[in-house]
Amino acid sequence: MTAPRLTLPSPAKLNLMLHILGRREDGYHELQTIFQFLDYGDEITFAVRDDGVIRLHTEFADVPHDNNLIVKAAKKLQEQSGCSLGVDIWIEKILPMGGGIGGGSSNAATTLLGLNHLWQLGWDEDRLAALGLTLGADVPVFVRGHAAFAEGVGEKLTPVEPEEPWYLVLVPQVSVSTAEIFSDPLLTRNTPPIKVRPVPKGNSRNDCLPVVARRYPDVRNALNLLGKFTEAKLTGTGSCVFGGFPSKAEADKVSALLTETLTGFVAKGSNISMLHRKLQSLL
């Protein structure tokens, strides 16, 4: 009998805005941000094992096996649920690391949701999101799968319905260190909190952008090039840069002009993650 298998998408996210309100006593920063998903991402395949072993078969040059968030997520879920089953995991990786589009966090969330389904644990979303938060501040939004206005360190989520344009995402070939950006003395840390819902138009800036653009010329170049065609934004602490377009044809047209010198992709914005659409289809 072949082991139960499941292949699931692990989507990218964008930060449509990112305001930094202040630094907390624990060293983390108070944020306000809007997360939206892209119909674009990695693909992860899970096959159940009955011996309790968790093995990621895809190797990553810079990340030891047990340090990978996929493995950490699987082990934490196994420990906390008391499940005796294990899993073999393979990933088709296309999301860049250090790009600000949530690759690692998304992979962790897909692992939690996928194994909850395969191991038949019956955990609800709240419990999975709470476990996800111990792996990273961005994991809960991927677990919940709905575009959200986020506060705190990014874990207090209120569902929102922003427009769903087509995006051109440019991927400068640099990995931006989040810790480095958040420790920069020139980072804006006193943006007044937004109290109005929905978030007023014109509040779409990213407070990390000036610091990242100053430190990383490749990101600055991507912002300048894309800015000739649409409002160019930074997602998270970067390095990825994005802009919205009303149609795929328009996004493709600009992509053809810019991707001769820069890596990039075109993807549809989505308020419901493609992971959740796939899981829904399995019910």
Side-chain angles (χ1 to χ4, degrees), residues 9 15-16 27 35 40 44 53-54 58 66 77 88 93 100 104 139 149 154 161 205 248 266 283:
N15 295 86
L16 303 187
F35 291 113
Y40 182 88
I44 307 180
V53 172
I54 289 167
T58 311
D66 287 359
L77 185 61
D88 288 307
K93 189 77 185 159
V139 179
F149 179 75
E161 299 284 345
R205 75 173 186 284
K248 183 176 188 296
V266 169
L283 297 178

PDB file of all heavy atoms in Angstrom, residues 9 15-16 27 35 40 44 53-54 58 66 77 88 93 100 104 139 149 154 161 205 248 266 283:
ATOM      1  N   PRO A   9       0.482  24.103  -2.748  1.00  0.00           N
ATOM      2  CA  PRO A   9       1.226  25.330  -3.050  1.00  0.00           C
ATOM      3  C   PRO A   9       1.649  26.054  -1.774  1.00  0.00           C
ATOM      4  O   PRO A   9       1.028  25.902  -0.722  1.00  0.00           O
ATOM      5  CB  PRO A   9       0.218  26.175  -3.837  1.00  0.00           C
ATOM      6  CG  PRO A   9      -1.123  25.698  -3.378  1.00  0.00           C
ATOM      7  CD  PRO A   9      -0.970  24.251  -2.993  1.00  0.00           C
ATOM      8  N   ASN A  15       3.768  42.937   1.176  1.00  0.00           N
ATOM      9  CA  ASN A  15       3.337  43.951   2.158  1.00  0.00           C
ATOM     10  C   ASN A  15       2.923  45.172   1.347  1.00  0.00           C
ATOM     11  O   ASN A  15       3.771  45.846   0.756  1.00  0.00           O
ATOM     12  CB  ASN A  15       4.478  44.340   3.092  1.00  0.00           C
ATOM     13  CG  ASN A  15       4.940  43.200   3.970  1.00  0.00           C
ATOM     14  OD1 ASN A  15       5.781  42.412   3.574  1.00  0.00           O
ATOM     15  ND2 ASN A  15       4.383  43.109   5.165  1.00  0.00           N
ATOM     16  N   LEU A  16       1.621  45.457   1.306  1.00  0.00           N
ATOM     17  CA  LEU A  16       1.135  46.584   0.503  1.00  0.00           C
ATOM     18  C   LEU A  16       1.491  47.920   1.146  1.00  0.00           C
ATOM     19  O   LEU A  16       1.522  48.943   0.479  1.00  0.00           O
ATOM     20  CB  LEU A  16      -0.376  46.479   0.294  1.00  0.00           C
ATOM     21  CG  LEU A  16      -0.859  45.178  -0.366  1.00  0.00           C
ATOM     22  CD1 LEU A  16      -2.349  45.276  -0.666  1.00  0.00           C
ATOM     23  CD2 LEU A  16      -0.076  44.857  -1.637  1.00  0.00           C
ATOM     24  N   GLY A  27      12.762  44.294  22.109  1.00  0.00           N
ATOM     25  CA  GLY A  27      13.631  44.479  20.948  1.00  0.00           C
ATOM     26  C   GLY A  27      12.893  44.406  19.622  1.00  0.00           C
ATOM     27  O   GLY A  27      13.388  44.874  18.600  1.00  0.00           O
ATOM     28  N   PHE A  35      -1.013  42.544   4.455  1.00  0.00           N
ATOM     29  CA  PHE A  35      -0.538  41.378   3.719  1.00  0.00           C
ATOM     30  C   PHE A  35      -1.543  41.018   2.636  1.00  0.00           C
ATOM     31  O   PHE A  35      -2.750  40.976   2.888  1.00  0.00           O
ATOM     32  CB  PHE A  35      -0.445  40.151   4.640  1.00  0.00           C
ATOM     33  CG  PHE A  35       0.629  40.205   5.690  1.00  0.00           C
ATOM     34  CD1 PHE A  35       0.293  40.291   7.033  1.00  0.00           C
ATOM     35  CD2 PHE A  35       1.974  40.120   5.343  1.00  0.00           C
ATOM     36  CE1 PHE A  35       1.276  40.300   8.020  1.00  0.00           C
ATOM     37  CE2 PHE A  35       2.962  40.138   6.320  1.00  0.00           C
ATOM     38  CZ  PHE A  35       2.619  40.225   7.656  1.00  0.00           C
ATOM     39  N   TYR A  40       1.363  32.648  -6.852  1.00  0.00           N
ATOM     40  CA  TYR A  40       2.712  32.311  -7.309  1.00  0.00           C
ATOM     41  C   TYR A  40       3.471  31.810  -6.087  1.00  0.00           C
ATOM     42  O   TYR A  40       3.371  32.427  -5.016  1.00  0.00           O
ATOM     43  CB  TYR A  40       3.390  33.575  -7.867  1.00  0.00           C
ATOM     44  CG  TYR A  40       4.787  33.378  -8.427  1.00  0.00           C
ATOM     45  CD1 TYR A  40       4.974  33.015  -9.760  1.00  0.00           C
ATOM     46  CD2 TYR A  40       5.908  33.558  -7.626  1.00  0.00           C
ATOM     47  CE1 TYR A  40       6.250  32.853 -10.283  1.00  0.00           C
ATOM     48  CE2 TYR A  40       7.190  33.399  -8.145  1.00  0.00           C
ATOM     49  CZ  TYR A  40       7.349  33.042  -9.478  1.00  0.00           C
ATOM     50  OH  TYR A  40       8.617  32.874  -9.991  1.00  0.00           O
ATOM     51  N   ILE A  44       5.084  22.080  -2.368  1.00  0.00           N
ATOM     52  CA  ILE A  44       5.631  21.122  -1.401  1.00  0.00           C
ATOM     53  C   ILE A  44       4.827  19.824  -1.461  1.00  0.00           C
ATOM     54  O   ILE A  44       3.599  19.842  -1.463  1.00  0.00           O
ATOM     55  CB  ILE A  44       5.590  21.685   0.034  1.00  0.00           C
ATOM     56  CG1 ILE A  44       6.268  23.071   0.103  1.00  0.00           C
ATOM     57  CG2 ILE A  44       6.293  20.731   1.005  1.00  0.00           C
ATOM     58  CD1 ILE A  44       6.280  23.702   1.487  1.00  0.00           C
ATOM     59  N   VAL A  53       9.737   9.350  11.468  1.00  0.00           N
ATOM     60  CA  VAL A  53      10.879  10.130  10.956  1.00  0.00           C
ATOM     61  C   VAL A  53      10.381  11.284  10.090  1.00  0.00           C
ATOM     62  O   VAL A  53       9.459  11.122   9.275  1.00  0.00           O
ATOM     63  CB  VAL A  53      11.846   9.233  10.150  1.00  0.00           C
ATOM     64  CG1 VAL A  53      12.917  10.066   9.443  1.00  0.00           C
ATOM     65  CG2 VAL A  53      12.495   8.201  11.075  1.00  0.00           C
ATOM     66  N   ILE A  54      10.991  12.464  10.282  1.00  0.00           N
ATOM     67  CA  ILE A  54      10.681  13.635   9.451  1.00  0.00           C
ATOM     68  C   ILE A  54      11.904  13.922   8.594  1.00  0.00           C
ATOM     69  O   ILE A  54      12.989  14.210   9.121  1.00  0.00           O
ATOM     70  CB  ILE A  54      10.321  14.839  10.336  1.00  0.00           C
ATOM     71  CG1 ILE A  54       8.941  14.602  10.974  1.00  0.00           C
ATOM     72  CG2 ILE A  54      10.335  16.144   9.538  1.00  0.00           C
ATOM     73  CD1 ILE A  54       8.592  15.525  12.091  1.00  0.00           C
ATOM     74  N   THR A  58      14.834  17.656  -0.151  1.00  0.00           N
ATOM     75  CA  THR A  58      15.417  18.735  -0.963  1.00  0.00           C
ATOM     76  C   THR A  58      16.489  19.436  -0.138  1.00  0.00           C
ATOM     77  O   THR A  58      16.217  19.855   0.984  1.00  0.00           O
ATOM     78  CB  THR A  58      14.324  19.743  -1.366  1.00  0.00           C
ATOM     79  OG1 THR A  58      13.204  19.021  -1.899  1.00  0.00           O
ATOM     80  CG2 THR A  58      14.842  20.727  -2.400  1.00  0.00           C
ATOM     81  N   ASP A  66      18.040  20.418   9.785  1.00  0.00           N
ATOM     82  CA  ASP A  66      17.220  20.632  10.985  1.00  0.00           C
ATOM     83  C   ASP A  66      16.917  22.101  11.260  1.00  0.00           C
ATOM     84  O   ASP A  66      16.073  22.407  12.106  1.00  0.00           O
ATOM     85  CB  ASP A  66      17.893  20.000  12.208  1.00  0.00           C
ATOM     86  CG  ASP A  66      17.802  18.479  12.168  1.00  0.00           C
ATOM     87  OD1 ASP A  66      17.198  17.944  11.211  1.00  0.00           O
ATOM     88  OD2 ASP A  66      18.332  17.818  13.079  1.00  0.00           O
ATOM     89  N   LEU A  77       4.842  20.386  15.261  1.00  0.00           N
ATOM     90  CA  LEU A  77       3.474  19.874  15.167  1.00  0.00           C
ATOM     91  C   LEU A  77       3.418  18.429  15.669  1.00  0.00           C
ATOM     92  O   LEU A  77       2.490  18.043  16.394  1.00  0.00           O
ATOM     93  CB  LEU A  77       2.974  19.959  13.719  1.00  0.00           C
ATOM     94  CG  LEU A  77       1.511  19.561  13.494  1.00  0.00           C
ATOM     95  CD1 LEU A  77       0.559  20.469  14.263  1.00  0.00           C
ATOM     96  CD2 LEU A  77       1.171  19.568  12.010  1.00  0.00           C
ATOM     97  N   ASP A  88       7.942  12.252   4.655  1.00  0.00           N
ATOM     98  CA  ASP A  88       8.965  12.610   3.666  1.00  0.00           C
ATOM     99  C   ASP A  88       8.469  13.861   2.951  1.00  0.00           C
ATOM    100  O   ASP A  88       7.280  13.962   2.610  1.00  0.00           O
ATOM    101  CB  ASP A  88       9.155  11.486   2.640  1.00  0.00           C
ATOM    102  CG  ASP A  88       9.865  10.281   3.242  1.00  0.00           C
ATOM    103  OD1 ASP A  88      10.947  10.464   3.823  1.00  0.00           O
ATOM    104  OD2 ASP A  88       9.320   9.159   3.133  1.00  0.00           O
ATOM    105  N   LYS A  93      11.370  24.760  -5.211  1.00  0.00           N
ATOM    106  CA  LYS A  93      11.613  26.094  -4.645  1.00  0.00           C
ATOM    107  C   LYS A  93      11.777  27.123  -5.769  1.00  0.00           C
ATOM    108  O   LYS A  93      12.715  27.046  -6.554  1.00  0.00           O
ATOM    109  CB  LYS A  93      12.880  26.048  -3.777  1.00  0.00           C
ATOM    110  CG  LYS A  93      13.126  27.301  -2.961  1.00  0.00           C
ATOM    111  CD  LYS A  93      12.225  27.359  -1.748  1.00  0.00           C
ATOM    112  CE  LYS A  93      12.370  28.662  -1.002  1.00  0.00           C
ATOM    113  NZ  LYS A  93      11.233  28.981  -0.165  1.00  0.00           N
ATOM    114  N   GLY A 100      11.702  39.183   1.029  1.00  0.00           N
ATOM    115  CA  GLY A 100      10.574  39.912   1.611  1.00  0.00           C
ATOM    116  C   GLY A 100       9.224  39.436   1.129  1.00  0.00           C
ATOM    117  O   GLY A 100       8.210  40.095   1.348  1.00  0.00           O
ATOM    118  N   GLY A 104      10.068  31.423   3.494  1.00  0.00           N
ATOM    119  CA  GLY A 104      10.246  30.494   4.614  1.00  0.00           C
ATOM    120  C   GLY A 104       9.004  30.379   5.473  1.00  0.00           C
ATOM    121  O   GLY A 104       8.592  29.284   5.879  1.00  0.00           O
ATOM    122  N   VAL A 139       4.195  33.724   9.933  1.00  0.00           N
ATOM    123  CA  VAL A 139       3.587  32.407   9.680  1.00  0.00           C
ATOM    124  C   VAL A 139       2.060  32.442   9.872  1.00  0.00           C
ATOM    125  O   VAL A 139       1.330  31.876   9.051  1.00  0.00           O
ATOM    126  CB  VAL A 139       4.257  31.314  10.536  1.00  0.00           C
ATOM    127  CG1 VAL A 139       3.598  29.949  10.274  1.00  0.00           C
ATOM    128  CG2 VAL A 139       5.758  31.234  10.239  1.00  0.00           C
ATOM    129  N   PHE A 149      -4.947  43.148   7.546  1.00  0.00           N
ATOM    130  CA  PHE A 149      -4.281  44.277   8.186  1.00  0.00           C
ATOM    131  C   PHE A 149      -3.668  43.707   9.456  1.00  0.00           C
ATOM    132  O   PHE A 149      -4.370  43.102  10.275  1.00  0.00           O
ATOM    133  CB  PHE A 149      -5.292  45.375   8.513  1.00  0.00           C
ATOM    134  CG  PHE A 149      -4.697  46.571   9.200  1.00  0.00           C
ATOM    135  CD1 PHE A 149      -3.932  47.489   8.492  1.00  0.00           C
ATOM    136  CD2 PHE A 149      -4.898  46.786  10.560  1.00  0.00           C
ATOM    137  CE1 PHE A 149      -3.383  48.600   9.132  1.00  0.00           C
ATOM    138  CE2 PHE A 149      -4.357  47.895  11.203  1.00  0.00           C
ATOM    139  CZ  PHE A 149      -3.590  48.800  10.481  1.00  0.00           C
ATOM    140  N   GLY A 154       3.097  41.750  13.705  1.00  0.00           N
ATOM    141  CA  GLY A 154       2.535  41.221  12.466  1.00  0.00           C
ATOM    142  C   GLY A 154       1.592  40.061  12.709  1.00  0.00           C
ATOM    143  O   GLY A 154       1.104  39.448  11.763  1.00  0.00           O
ATOM    144  N   GLU A 161      -9.988  43.446   2.346  1.00  0.00           N
ATOM    145  CA  GLU A 161     -10.276  43.099   0.945  1.00  0.00           C
ATOM    146  C   GLU A 161      -9.687  44.149   0.007  1.00  0.00           C
ATOM    147  O   GLU A 161     -10.429  44.899  -0.642  1.00  0.00           O
ATOM    148  CB  GLU A 161     -11.795  43.006   0.727  1.00  0.00           C
ATOM    149  CG  GLU A 161     -12.499  41.948   1.556  1.00  0.00           C
ATOM    150  CD  GLU A 161     -12.294  40.544   1.039  1.00  0.00           C
ATOM    151  OE1 GLU A 161     -11.850  40.395  -0.124  1.00  0.00           O
ATOM    152  OE2 GLU A 161     -12.559  39.590   1.797  1.00  0.00           O
ATOM    153  N   ARG A 205       3.015  53.644   2.089  1.00  0.00           N
ATOM    154  CA  ARG A 205       4.487  53.627   2.058  1.00  0.00           C
ATOM    155  C   ARG A 205       5.041  52.496   2.941  1.00  0.00           C
ATOM    156  O   ARG A 205       4.351  51.945   3.802  1.00  0.00           O
ATOM    157  CB  ARG A 205       5.055  54.969   2.496  1.00  0.00           C
ATOM    158  CG  ARG A 205       4.978  55.215   3.966  1.00  0.00           C
ATOM    159  CD  ARG A 205       5.706  56.497   4.386  1.00  0.00           C
ATOM    160  NE  ARG A 205       5.697  56.566   5.840  1.00  0.00           N
ATOM    161  CZ  ARG A 205       4.643  56.897   6.563  1.00  0.00           C
ATOM    162  NH1 ARG A 205       3.501  57.206   5.961  1.00  0.00           N
ATOM    163  NH2 ARG A 205       4.690  56.900   7.878  1.00  0.00           N
ATOM    164  N   LYS A 248      -3.043  41.614 -16.850  1.00  0.00           N
ATOM    165  CA  LYS A 248      -1.846  40.794 -17.048  1.00  0.00           C
ATOM    166  C   LYS A 248      -1.060  41.300 -18.253  1.00  0.00           C
ATOM    167  O   LYS A 248       0.174  41.353 -18.230  1.00  0.00           O
ATOM    168  CB  LYS A 248      -2.248  39.332 -17.251  1.00  0.00           C
ATOM    169  CG  LYS A 248      -1.052  38.375 -17.387  1.00  0.00           C
ATOM    170  CD  LYS A 248      -1.500  36.936 -17.490  1.00  0.00           C
ATOM    171  CE  LYS A 248      -0.306  35.984 -17.432  1.00  0.00           C
ATOM    172  NZ  LYS A 248       0.615  36.136 -18.574  1.00  0.00           N
ATOM    173  N   VAL A 266       5.492  37.894 -13.118  1.00  0.00           N
ATOM    174  CA  VAL A 266       4.163  38.517 -13.072  1.00  0.00           C
ATOM    175  C   VAL A 266       3.221  37.556 -12.361  1.00  0.00           C
ATOM    176  O   VAL A 266       3.241  36.349 -12.625  1.00  0.00           O
ATOM    177  CB  VAL A 266       3.664  38.820 -14.500  1.00  0.00           C
ATOM    178  CG1 VAL A 266       2.179  39.204 -14.497  1.00  0.00           C
ATOM    179  CG2 VAL A 266       4.506  39.929 -15.128  1.00  0.00           C
ATOM    180  N   LEU A 283     -11.757  19.048   0.622  1.00  0.00           N
ATOM    181  CA  LEU A 283     -12.779  18.711   1.636  1.00  0.00           C
ATOM    182  C   LEU A 283     -13.988  18.026   1.012  1.00  0.00           C
ATOM    183  O   LEU A 283     -14.323  18.259  -0.136  1.00  0.00           O
ATOM    184  CB  LEU A 283     -13.208  19.985   2.367  1.00  0.00           C
ATOM    185  CG  LEU A 283     -12.110  20.693   3.161  1.00  0.00           C
ATOM    186  CD1 LEU A 283     -12.660  21.965   3.794  1.00  0.00           C
ATOM    187  CD2 LEU A 283     -11.523  19.779   4.236  1.00  0.00           C
TER     188      LEU A 283
END
